Structure formats: C-alpha cells, structure tokens
Amino acid sequence: MDELEILKNHWKKEQYPYPKLTYAELYQMILRKSSSIVKWIFIISLLEFGFWIGISFFMKDSTFHDNMKDVNLESVLVPISIISYIVLFYFFYLFYKNYKTISATDNAKTLMENIIKTRKTVKYYVIFNLVTIIIGVIFGTYYVLNNVPMVVEKLELASANNQEFKVYASFILGVVLVLIIVIVLLILFYWLIYGLLLRRLKINYKELMKLDSN
Amino acid sequence: MSKELKHSFVELLETHQNIVHKVCRLYTNNRDAHNDLFQEITIQLWKAYPKFRGDSKFSTWMYRVGLNTAITLYRKSKRTINTQDFQGVEFKIEAQEFDDTEEQQLKLLYKAIHQLNDIEKALVFLYLEDKNYNEISETLGISEVNARVRINRVKTKLKTILNP
C-alpha cells in the first residue's frame, strides 16, 4: 500500500497534538500583533523611504548646499529637488498600491508574486537614488574641479609644478573611494536585511516555479 | 472591527481549529514552533475574515490562508529554528484501531514528511485532506496536470526516504 495512503486513512482520525484551544484563548490570539514578513517588509520599506527623505533634508541644510548656492548652482538644484519629490511620491504610491494587493487568501503563487513586486518597488526606488547620487557626484566633481576658486587655484599651482595629473587623480580617486564605500555598505545592509527576510520566500517561489514548469 | 464579527469568527475558528493544528503539524517540529505558527495563522485568518464572503466553505478558505501563512508569510522566530525532532510529541490515535507497528509506521511517515520542502508539504497536506487536483492547483497557483504529476513525485520521494 502507498505510504501516503496509510497516512490518509489515519489523517481524519487524528486528534490534537496539543490541548484544544478554548474560545477565550482563541479570542486573545486574534488581539495579538502579527509578525509576518509582509509586516516587516512594510516597516523596513517605510524606514527606507524615511531614510532617503532624511538624506535629502540633510543635504539641504549642509554646507554642500551653501557651496552650491555660492557657485550659483541653485537654479539646477531646485528643479532636481522637485523631480526627486515627484519620483518619491510616484514610488510611494506604487509601493502602497502593491502592498494593498497582498492578500493571504490569494493562491500561493500570486501571494508570493505580490510580495516580491511590493519589495521590488522599494528596491527600484533605492536604485534610482543610488544612480542619482552617482550622477550627481560625477557632475559635482566636474563642476568643483572647474569652478570652485579654491580648487581651481590649487590645480593651477599644481600645473605650474607639473603635478596637475597627481592632484586630479587623488581628488577623483578620493571621490570614487567614498562612493564605493557607501554603495558597498548599502548593498551589505540590504543583503543582510532582505536576504534573511526573504530567503525562505525566494526558495519556495523558485520551488513553485519549478513545479509548474515541467 | 465589531464585536459580533469577532464573536462569529472565533466561534468558527474554535470549531475548525483542527485544520490549523494540522497545518502546524506538518510545518513545525516542536511545541513552541507549533504555537507560534498557530498564532500567526490565526491572526492572518482574522485579518482576512472581513473579506470572507462565504462563497467557499470556511474550512476551504482556512486551508488557503493556513498554507499561505506557513509557506510564505510566517517569519520563523529564533526559537523555532530548532532541529529537535517531533518524536517528543505524539499524535494520539484512537488506540484500539492501531497496533504498535502501525503507530511506528506513522511516526516514520511524519518524520519523512518533515524532510520534504515547504511546497511538497503543502501538496501532501492537500492530498491528505482529500482535495481534488483542481482544488490543489487553485490553492497553489499551478496547473492541474502539474499538481497530479507532483503528487506522484512526492509519493515516490517519500518512498525513497522511507526505504533508502
């Protein structure tokens, strides 16, 4: 006889492994807070949005911003800030819309796909921010090297001493190094948080896809 | 949410709690983990309950939410990452119907099932609950043909685990 058939014959007759829960115990249970991965994704995503908004506020108050003002770059910064807020609202709207579609009553595949989709919205927002930072740094560096009087002076002095290349290289290298450190730290952080949180979901989704592919 | 809604839900849950216990039975291997998963399934059921329209049976609706929680939503807490076997907890089966050999066989079967992956366990659960292939495919979101093929593969896998 098939092994599973043996179990099936007994399945219905099985009693609770633990004491049957009473009405009062079950009532208490529904008042407790969920600790599902969806809840965690929601909290972490909100923190991420908060983090990037915080960064933009920090930049606004920083000396960097004042320097930009000094070199008349505010006309560029204002439209950039407006665009970044529009992008933020767009991503947040997408995130919330996707989050709302997550339902435990969907079939397993749809549920997993909706969770992954919600998560991806925030991921794309983070990628957008990183790309913006990289582009900003490239343009910023170019501008600083050519327009900031103190830097231009140093470069002219270096040029007179035939050390122009050295100064350029060390400046660019420094900027690149800081960028790399920031990006690596962020990737590590993401890998740790989402790697742990979504590992099981990803394994099961892959398994489900495999199941449905042949 | 209203008191009446809570009351009607808890009453239904009390009657059908065996389904939740059975899901936990397949997905966990110790009492703490069982309780944790039971708690999370209960919360997910309650969250989804206002949208339960009664066009499917409450028990069928419970399978889906229960399995979805076990496979996808449940975040294993530290204490549930435990390799301790389920042997310490034995399901009581009406004694007169089984002899020792059968009980032993069942114990081994559960042990083998715990070695399956989460999706295979879901297939086993739905099969044991006597769900037809259409229901299995709808619950998991796979085709009916694949549901049939996979159940057979799980059976073979269990055979291999039990008779290496």
Side-chain angles (χ1 to χ4, degrees):
Chain A
M1 195 180 183
D2 194 316
E3 277 84 355
L4 220 46
E5 287 303 319
I6 300 168
L7 188 57
K8 196 173 182 176
N9 289 337
H10 299 117
W11 183 253
K12 300 264 180 210
K13 297 170 198 157
E14 273 188 350
Q15 291 170 0
Y16 303 102
Y18 306 116
K20 190 180 173 184
L21 294 160
T22 63
Y23 179 95
E25 283 170 326
L26 291 168
Y27 195 92
Q28 280 305 309
M29 271 192 174
I30 64 169
L31 302 177
R32 287 190 201 139
K33 293 239 174 346
S34 158
S35 67
S36 75
I37 61 160
V38 174
K39 193 184 161 186
W40 280 103
I41 286 176
F42 185 74
I43 293 170
I44 295 169
S45 300
L46 286 187
L47 288 174
E48 281 174 71
F49 280 117
F51 172 76
W52 290 107
I53 293 170
I55 290 270
S56 71
F57 273 112
F58 174 74
M59 294 289 267
K60 250 191 195 139
D61 291 336
S62 68
T63 45
F64 169 77
H65 193 261
D66 294 339
N67 287 344
M68 292 292 112
K69 250 186 191 170
D70 291 345
V71 287
N72 295 324
L73 262 186
E74 228 193 0
S75 55
V76 183
L77 286 178
V78 172
I80 288 176
S81 318
I82 295 171
I83 292 169
S84 70
Y85 281 120
I86 293 171
V87 172
L88 164 71
F89 283 119
Y90 172 70
F91 273 108
F92 194 78
Y93 163 75
L94 271 187
F95 162 73
Y96 193 70
K97 201 175 118 220
N98 290 335
Y99 171 73
K100 278 298 195 190
T101 59
I102 297 172
S103 163
T105 51
D106 275 330
N107 68 49
K109 192 177 152 195
T110 311
L111 173 67
M112 288 182 197
E113 281 169 349
N114 285 341
I115 294 175
I116 292 168
K117 211 164 116 189
T118 304
R119 172 62 218 129
K120 271 191 179 158
T121 319
V122 188
K123 192 172 142 188
Y124 291 145
Y125 179 62
V126 172
I127 291 172
F128 165 80
N129 275 308
L130 285 178
V131 171
T132 313
I133 286 178
I134 292 169
I135 294 172
V137 167
I138 291 170
F139 278 104
T141 309
Y142 177 79
Y143 196 86
V144 166
L145 286 174
N146 292 295
N147 296 288
V148 175
M150 198 181 79
V151 179
V152 174
E153 249 174 58
K154 263 193 183 169
L155 277 169
E156 274 166 6
L157 199 76
S159 174
N161 295 332
N162 249 350
Q163 283 187 324
E164 199 180 9
F165 176 76
K166 205 177 149 191
V167 174
Y168 263 117
S170 55
F171 190 82
I172 292 168
L173 210 72
V175 171
V176 170
L177 212 68
V178 170
L179 254 188
I180 289 175
I181 290 170
V182 169
I183 291 171
V184 167
L185 280 177
L186 274 172
I187 290 173
L188 260 175
F189 178 74
Y190 276 94
W191 179 75
L192 208 74
I193 298 269
Y194 287 106
L196 290 174
L197 199 62
L198 296 179
R199 194 176 153 264
R200 201 163 133 254
L201 187 145
K202 280 183 179 163
I203 291 171
N204 285 341
Y205 184 68
K206 232 166 135 184
E207 191 58 38
L208 205 60
M209 289 293 101
K210 215 165 79 188
L211 212 93
D212 213 22
S213 62
N214 46 42
Chain B
M1 283 181 247
S2 77
K3 255 191 168 174
E4 293 82 54
L5 198 70
K6 266 184 199 159
H7 176 68
S8 69
F9 171 75
V10 177
E11 259 191 352
L12 279 167
L13 183 63
E14 195 186 5
T15 315
H16 297 281
Q17 63 174 287
N18 204 15
I19 294 170
V20 185
H21 277 299
K22 282 181 173 178
V23 173
C24 300
R25 170 79 171 102
L26 290 191
Y27 283 91
T28 61
N29 54 12
N30 63 63
R31 189 173 187 149
D32 282 343
H34 184 107
N35 291 344
D36 267 359
L37 182 56
F38 192 100
Q39 164 81 70
E40 191 58 47
I41 293 176
T42 304
I43 294 171
Q44 293 301 331
L45 283 166
W46 170 233
K47 269 169 68 182
Y49 186 60
K51 283 183 190 159
F52 173 65
R53 289 187 191 89
D55 36 2
S56 63
K57 274 201 304 185
F58 186 74
S59 56
T60 311
W61 177 78
M62 277 180 94
Y63 294 128
R64 189 172 274 212
V65 178
L67 283 178
N68 272 339
T69 309
I71 297 169
T72 308
L73 301 172
Y74 178 53
R75 197 180 58 89
K76 284 180 184 171
S77 64
K78 259 185 193 167
R79 59 180 177 157
T80 63
I81 306 166
N82 192 333
T83 49
Q84 178 199 332
D85 206 356
F86 212 84
Q87 279 164 336
V89 186
E90 291 180 18
F91 269 63
K92 293 188 185 86
I93 296 159
E94 287 165 37
Q96 69 273 20
E97 291 184 39
F98 303 97
D99 54 34
D100 281 352
T101 335
E102 273 177 325
E103 209 167 313
Q104 192 57 32
Q105 204 171 11
L106 283 174
K107 226 186 242 179
L108 287 171
L109 258 165
Y110 274 117
K111 214 174 163 184
I113 289 170
H114 277 125
Q115 291 180 43
L116 300 175
N117 66 43
D118 287 349
I119 306 296
E120 289 168 336
K121 280 178 190 161
L123 284 166
V124 168
F125 177 84
L126 293 162
Y127 179 79
L128 292 175
E129 282 294 333
D130 220 10
K131 299 289 155 197
N132 61 40
Y133 291 114
N134 180 36
E135 278 175 284
I136 295 175
S137 78
E138 274 181 12
T139 307
L140 296 178
I142 58 171
S143 76
E144 213 174 310
V145 179
N146 279 326
R148 193 186 300 265
V149 172
R150 295 298 158 164
I151 292 266
N152 287 329
R153 288 202 189 157
V154 170
K155 281 182 184 177
T156 315
K157 192 171 174 182
L158 277 176
K159 253 193 191 86
T160 320
I161 296 173
L162 288 163
N163 313 295

